[in-house]
């Protein structure tokens, strides 16, 4: 488990990734609370084209938290493997779900709670079995890796497939198949992570007072990052506008993380020196996180009623209720009045007086 800066650098990257998830997850709650305050005041809502949220300090606090989270995520790529940092981004969804149930009174059903637990377990497994990446300490070594024939072939395949999805599959199937636009975001996103990794290394060298701004690679990576992020935002917004968020979010997370793991494995040779148990642990942890995110989003609005239980559990539940009822009846019999004979005597006297009144 070593990153570009050894074990201490790995823990720095891990801490930055966790902090990023906490800040980004909390930013959604602050923004939502600010929008709800505006709604209670009767101001124009953002969905209706209003911009009153710009005057709400809670919204700006949420934006600041998101900026801090994104900066921490950016810095995490400079210390820890991308195969570790990217999947841990799922924890921001978990933080947002837990905080929304606490501060926004949004219901977190059984499926959501199970999904949160699975996400935590999967993240823990991935941290334990995190892959090692080849040491990249300078822009020169980063440039050498970018010239690798395997990575060049991967980048060409990504660009060609993205163009086919945009210009061929998009007009035909983009309105009916969620995979079209999400695949574009995921494929281009894998290249953006590589750019972020290179810029993170350049930033570390800049703090070491090296003249990195004179390196052409820095500006090439910056331009490529801006282009990739613009494409991602454009097609992710298209997917969110056409399809339900509960469908887009888990699909995008799975495809984006898979693409980033493939790109990192080719560019930084993260899987080359891993033993079999770490490979199995990394894949198992990733699949566990995927399962948790799927449960958290796909069944977010699904009610959990006893009728959804299997038949044998429903039968056991019915037997349990029957035993409780019999126990309650038995307990009620044990708490009869202490002098039942007096009650029976008074009841019989009342009946005799009633009969005498009728006969008269």
């Amino acid at each position: 488990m070593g990153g570009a800066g050894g074990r201490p650098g790995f823990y720095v990257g891990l801490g930055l990734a966790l902090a990023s998830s906490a800040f980004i997850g909390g930013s959604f709650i602050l923004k939502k609370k600010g929008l709800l305050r505006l709604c209670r005041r009767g101001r124009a809502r953002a969905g209706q084209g209003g911009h009153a949220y710009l005057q709400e300090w809670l919204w700006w606090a949420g934006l600041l938290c998101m900026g801090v989270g994104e900066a921490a995520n950016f810095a995490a790529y400079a210390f820890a493997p991308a195969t570790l940092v990217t999947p841990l981004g799922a924890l921001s969804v978990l933080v947002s779900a837990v905080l929304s149930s606490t501060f926004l009174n949004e219901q977190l059903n059984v499926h959501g709670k199970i999904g949160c637990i699975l996400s935590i377990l999967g993240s823990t497994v991935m941290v334990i079995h995190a892959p090692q990446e080849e040491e990249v300490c300078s822009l020169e070594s980063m440039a050498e890796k970018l010239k690798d024939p395997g990575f060049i072939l991967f980048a060409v395949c990504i660009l060609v497939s993205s163009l086919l999805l945009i210009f061929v599959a998009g007009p035909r199937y983009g309105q009916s198949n969620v995979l079209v636009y999400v695949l574009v975001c995921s494929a281009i996103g894998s290249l953006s992570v590589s750019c972020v990794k290179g810029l993170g290394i350049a930033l570390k060298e800049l703090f070491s007072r090296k003249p990195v701004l004179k390196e052409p690679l820095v500006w090439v990576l910056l331009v490529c990052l801006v282009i990739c992020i613009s494409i991602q935002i454009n097609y992710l917004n298209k997917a969110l506008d056409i399809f339900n968020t509960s469908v887009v979010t888990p699909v995008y997370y799975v495809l984006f993380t898979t693409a980033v793991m493939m790109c990192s494995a080719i560019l930084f040779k993260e899987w080359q020196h891993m033993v079999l148990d770490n490979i199995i642990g990394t894949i198992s942890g990733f699949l566990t996180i995927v399962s948790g995110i799927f449960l958290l989003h796909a069944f977010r609005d699904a009610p959990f009623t006893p009728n959804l239980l299997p038949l044998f559990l429903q039968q056991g539940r019915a037997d349990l209720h029957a035993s409780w009822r019999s126990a309650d009846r038995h307990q009620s019999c044990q708490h009869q009045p202490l002098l039942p004979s007096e009650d029976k005597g008074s009841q019989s006297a009342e009946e005799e007086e009633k009969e005498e009144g009728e006969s008269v």
Side-chain angles (χ1 to χ4, degrees):
M1 244 181 355
R7 184 171 286 270
F10 172 84
Y11 288 125
V12 171
L14 175 61
L16 288 171
L18 294 177
S20 170
S21 298
F23 277 106
I24 293 176
S27 69
F28 290 110
I29 308 304
L30 291 173
K31 287 184 176 181
K32 183 68 174 181
K33 287 187 73 70
L35 295 174
L36 290 175
R37 288 181 60 177
L38 291 174
C39 183
R40 287 194 296 267
R41 295 174 188 170
R43 306 292 293 275
R45 302 182 64 177
Q48 300 172 350
H51 299 283
Y53 57 85
L54 295 175
Q55 302 174 0
E56 177 60 48
W57 70 270
L58 274 176
W59 187 88
W60 283 105
L63 184 64
L64 179 62
C65 283
M66 178 166 285
V68 173
E70 292 295 344
N73 188 62
F74 178 89
Y77 283 106
F79 294 95
T83 307
L84 173 68
V85 176
T86 303
L88 287 181
L91 294 180
S92 63
V93 181
L94 185 150
V95 171
S96 177
V98 173
L99 292 180
S100 63
S101 65
T102 304
F103 297 102
L104 298 177
N105 296 323
E106 295 183 3
Q107 187 66 28
L108 188 63
N109 57 14
V110 176
H111 304 92
K113 294 176 182 177
I114 295 175
C116 292
I117 295 173
L118 288 176
S119 298
I120 294 174
L121 293 177
S123 301
T124 304
V125 173
M126 287 206 72
V127 170
I128 294 174
H129 298 280
Q132 296 182 1
E133 63 182 20
E134 290 187 357
E135 187 172 352
V136 184
C137 298
S138 63
L139 286 176
E140 289 78 9
S141 57
M142 183 70 185
E144 290 297 325
K145 289 189 175 299
L146 292 175
K147 296 177 184 177
D148 184 75
F151 176 74
I152 294 176
L153 179 61
F154 174 80
V156 170
C157 292
I158 289 294
L159 294 176
V160 172
S161 60
S162 298
L163 291 174
L164 291 175
L165 288 170
I166 292 172
F167 295 106
V168 178
R172 296 181 181 180
Y173 310 107
Q175 300 293 323
S176 58
N177 194 329
V178 68
L179 292 177
V180 176
Y181 293 139
V182 175
L183 276 173
V184 175
C185 301
S186 304
I188 298 299
S190 64
L191 299 180
S192 67
V193 169
S194 302
C195 296
V196 168
K197 185 79 174 178
L199 290 174
I201 296 172
L203 192 62
K204 288 171 62 178
E205 291 191 351
L206 182 63
F207 288 148
S208 301
R209 297 184 177 180
K210 294 183 180 180
V212 296
L213 297 180
K214 297 180 181 180
E215 296 288 340
L217 180 61
V218 175
W219 302 105
V220 171
L221 291 175
L222 183 60
V223 171
C224 291
L225 178 62
V226 172
I227 295 174
C228 290
I229 291 179
S230 301
I231 296 174
Q232 283 182 265
I233 293 175
N234 181 35
Y235 287 96
L236 183 60
N237 286 334
K238 284 188 176 183
L240 291 172
D241 186 50
I242 298 170
F243 303 99
N244 197 323
T245 306
S246 61
V247 176
V248 175
T249 303
V251 173
Y252 175 64
Y253 171 78
V254 173
L255 295 179
F256 174 69
T257 307
T258 303
V260 170
M261 291 173 68
M262 291 176 58
C263 181
S264 299
I266 295 172
L267 182 60
F268 299 108
K269 307 296 188 296
E270 295 177 347
W271 301 73
Q272 187 172 358
H273 303 292
M274 289 181 66
V275 295
L276 182 61
D277 57 345
N278 286 334
I279 295 176
I280 296 174
T282 301
I283 296 175
S284 300
F286 173 61
L287 293 178
T288 304
I289 296 175
V290 168
S291 302
I293 295 296
F294 179 78
L295 283 175
L296 189 60
H297 279 273
F299 301 99
R300 180 175 53 188
D301 300 323
F304 186 82
T305 60
N307 296 330
L308 297 176
L309 294 173
L311 292 177
F312 70 93
L313 291 178
Q314 293 184 21
Q315 183 65 32
R317 182 173 172 270
D319 295 341
L320 184 61
H321 275 285
S323 63
W324 283 351
R325 289 178 180 175
S326 62
D328 290 340
R329 285 196 297 268
H330 180 67
Q331 186 177 6
S332 62
C333 292
Q334 290 179 346
H335 290 82
Q336 293 294 330
L338 296 177
L339 299 175
S341 58
E342 296 180 0
D343 294 340
K344 290 181 180 179
S346 61
Q347 184 177 2
S348 59
E350 291 177 357
E351 292 177 356
E352 289 178 357
E353 292 178 358
K354 187 181 294 184
E355 291 176 357
E356 291 178 356
E358 291 177 355
S359 60
V360 173

